Amino acid sequence: MDIVSVKTEPYSDQTFGTSGLRKKTAVFRQKHYLENIVQSVFDSLNGFEGKTLVIGGDGRFFNDEAVQTLIRLAIANQFGRIIVGQNGLLSTPATSHIITKYNAFGGFILSASHNPGGRDGDFGIKFDTASGAPAPVALTTLFSERAKVIDRFWTIDLPDFDLSLLGERAVGHSIVQVVDPVADYAAYMRDIFDFPAIKKMLAGGFKMIFDAMNAATGPYARHIFEEALGAPAGSVIHGTPQPDFGGLHPDPNLIYAKHLADMMYADDAPDFAAASDGDGDRYMILGKNFFVNPSDSLAVLTEHLHAIPFYRGKINGVARSFATSPAVDAVAAAHKIPVYETPVGWKFFGSLLDAGKITLCGEESFGAGSSHLREKDGLWAVLAWLNIMAATQKTPEELTRELWRKYGRVYALAHNYESLNAEAANKLMMDLNAELDTLPGRQIGGLTIRQAFNFSYADPASGETAADQGICLVFDGQKRAVIRLSGTGSVGATLRFYFNGLSGKRLNDTPQAFLSDIVAAVGTLTRIAEQTGRDAPTTIT
Ligand code: VG1
Ligand code: CO
C-alpha cells in the first residue's frame, strides 16, 4: 500500500457553520472538495497518529463514496484504527457514543442533518472531538482557515473497502473495523431507561408509532422499539434509510412530517407518535390530537427527569439556546437548579456538560440531549418521553397541560425565511444592529420594547466567547423576539425570527393568536416584507 501526496487547490467556501460544513451535494462532489476539508481538519489537529477515528453517515446520496474517501485519508494520515458503521451508516448520537466508548480521537459524521438529500439535495460533514461533542468554534475556525490555503492531501492507493461485512481488516499500519451501528447505542439506552416499565406499558395496549423519515434512525428504532420493547411490527414507519430519504424532507416538524401529524389528529390515532431527522439527532413528540412544542418538551423532561433511573439524584442544571423559549426556566427555578442560556448550536453545550454544570439541554429546533452523550439525541428524547409516560401514567397532553397550569404557558413560534438574497438578509441584520440603542422605550403596534441587544456569550466553563449571535428584543408583557441568520443553509441566506410569550392565564390559545401582536410589531420594525421581498415566511415551526 502506497501513501500518496496529491496536489490540490483550495476552495473559498469551506466555512463551518452552526453544525459542520453543509453545501449542495454537487458542491461536495467537485474534485477534491471533500479531500480538502478532511485534510484541513487533520492538518489543524495534533497527536492522532496511531489513534482511533470513527466514521459514519446518515446514508444520503454520496454517503457511500464519501465514506471510502474518508477511510483512505484517515489511513494515509496514520490513524491506527478506523471504526466505520456497517454500510457506512451511523446516526449522529451513535457516532458520539462510539467515540467515547472506544476512546477514539474523534469522528466524522457525513450528514446535512435535517436538510433534504439526494443528487440535487444537500450534503455535509461534521467533526466530533474525543468527548463526542461537536468541535468547538476555536477548532472549526482553524479548519476553515486551513481549508483556505490547503495545497495537498494524503491518501492511499487502494480499491473500495467492503463495508457490508462486520469485522476487522489490517491495512498497512491501520485497522479498518466495521461495526454494527445499532448494538452499542441500543445497549446504552437500556442502561439509561427503565425498559421493563416501557415494555409493560406497550404490552398493556399503549400504541405508538415512530417515523424514521427513511433516514438514519430506522434500524435503531426497529431494534429498540419493536425488538427490545415489544412494540408490534410496523410501529416504525419509513424505517429503511434511503439515499434520497424516499422523497421525504427529513425534518421532524408539523410541516415535513405532516403525514404523521395527520395520523395523530385522526379519530383512530395511536397514543403516541414521534419522528426524527436525517442523522437522528432531532425529534418530534405528538400525543393524540396534541403537538408538544420542543421548548415545552425540554420543560417536561426537566420536570420529570428524576423518573428516569440514570438521572435520579444527579440533576445539576439545564441549558437552552437563547432562541429557545424560557418554558424550562420556571421548572428549573422550582427544582432549584440553574439555567444556562447559550448561542444556537449544540457545540455550546459540550463544555457545560463536561464541567458537570448541566444534566439536560435543548433547543427549540427539535433538539434535546443530556449528560449521557455530547450530541443531541432524537431517540433518547423519545425514550425519555416513553419512560416518563410509563412512570406517571400520563399522556403527552396531560404532562404538558399540567406544566402549563403549574408554571404558566410559554407560547413559541419560529418564522423561517429561507433562501433569501444574502445581501438583503445581511442588510436587515445590519440595519437592526445599528438601531439597537434607540429601541428601548419605543412603541410599535401597542407593544413597548424594554430591552434590545445583540446576544453574546462567555462560556462559564471554558471561558470561550462568542459575539454577535443574534438580536434579542424584550417587550413589555413577557414577550420576546430573537432574530438571527441561520448557519446551516446551503443556498443564499436564511433568517429566523423566534417569538415567545408567557401567559399564566390564557392556556388554550394558538401560538399564532397569542403572538400575533409581537409578530406584527417585529415585522413593522424590521420591514421584513420590504427588505426581503417576501410577504410570508417559508416555514413556521
Ligand atoms: C439549526 C437550528 C439549531 C440546530 C442546528 C443543527 O441551526 O436552529 O438549533 O442546532 O440547526 O441542527 P441554524 O443555524 O440553521 O439556525 V441539525 O439537526 O443539523 O444537527
Ligand atoms: Co440533525
Side-chain angles (χ1 to χ4, degrees), residues 78-292:
Q78 311 290 322
F79 276 91
R81 180 176 289 265
I82 292 121
I83 298 182
V84 197
Q86 190 173 26
N87 298 317
L89 297 177
L90 279 178
S91 75
T92 286
T95 309
S96 176
H97 177 239
I98 288 180
I99 290 172
T100 49
K101 177 158 183 172
Y102 297 99
N103 293 318
F105 179 83
F108 282 106
I109 301 156
L110 294 162
S111 173
S113 190
H114 53 283
N115 296 16
R119 194 181 286 273
D120 301 321
D122 286 356
F123 195 79
I125 186 164
K126 313 190 262 186
F127 183 76
D128 280 0
T129 61
S131 68
V137 184
L139 271 186
T140 57
T141 308
L142 287 182
F143 302 162
S144 306
E145 289 302 311
R146 177 65 191 153
K148 284 187 197 142
V149 295
I150 188 142
D151 57 2
R152 57 95 190 93
F153 61 87
W154 306 99
T155 188
I156 54 163
D157 204 3
L158 273 190
D160 280 359
F161 296 86
D162 182 354
L163 302 180
S164 65
L165 298 173
L166 298 179
E168 299 188 353
R169 170 177 163 196
V171 188
H173 294 295
S174 311
I175 290 168
V176 176
Q177 180 183 1
V178 180
V179 297
D180 176 344
V182 175
D184 288 322
Y185 177 85
Y188 194 31
M189 292 300 119
R190 265 180 205 272
D191 291 343
I192 297 174
F193 296 105
D194 187 348
F195 268 44
I198 302 174
K199 207 170 171 172
K200 195 168 153 205
M201 178 172 77
L202 287 166
F206 177 96
K207 285 208 178 60
M208 71 169 283
I209 188 145
F210 180 85
D211 188 347
M213 309 279 273
N214 298 319
T217 52
Y220 298 84
R222 281 216 179 102
H223 178 84
I224 293 172
F225 299 126
E226 295 183 359
E227 288 165 34
L229 291 169
S235 300
V236 174
I237 60 169
H238 300 129
T240 307
Q242 290 177 38
D244 64 348
F245 304 123
L248 290 177
H249 184 156
D251 196 353
N253 59 38
L254 293 178
I255 301 157
Y256 299 124
K258 186 175 178 299
H259 52 277
L260 190 65
D262 288 346
M263 287 167 83
M264 293 309 287
Y265 282 83
D267 290 342
D268 56 351
D271 300 290
F272 176 78
S276 62
D277 74 333
D279 60 329
D281 56 358
R282 294 187 176 207
Y283 74 109
M284 174 171 71
I285 302 293
L286 295 160
K288 255 189 222 289
N289 291 302
F290 195 80
F291 163 69
V292 183

Side-chain angles (χ1 to χ4, degrees), residues 18 22 113 277 281-282 363 365 376 484 486-488 496:
T18 313
R22 220 170 271 192
S113 190
D277 74 333
D281 56 358
R282 294 187 176 207
E363 294 191 288
S365 55
K376 56 184 184 242
R484 59 179 281 279
S486 147
T488 57
R496 302 200 196 282

Side-chain angles (χ1 to χ4, degrees), residues 496-513:
R496 302 200 196 282
F497 290 71
Y498 310 84
F499 305 99
N500 58 67
L502 167 74
S503 175
K505 295 201 186 92
R506 286 167 61 183
L507 303 183
N508 293 312
D509 271 350
T510 61
Q512 279 79 359

Side-chain angles (χ1 to χ4, degrees), residues 374-397:
R374 297 291 179 269
E375 285 277 4
K376 56 184 184 242
D377 189 345
L379 283 172
W380 170 89
V382 175
L383 284 165
W385 268 88
L386 286 171
N387 197 148
I388 290 167
M389 283 189 282
T392 59
Q393 295 291 307
K394 287 179 182 153
T395 65
E397 178 166 1

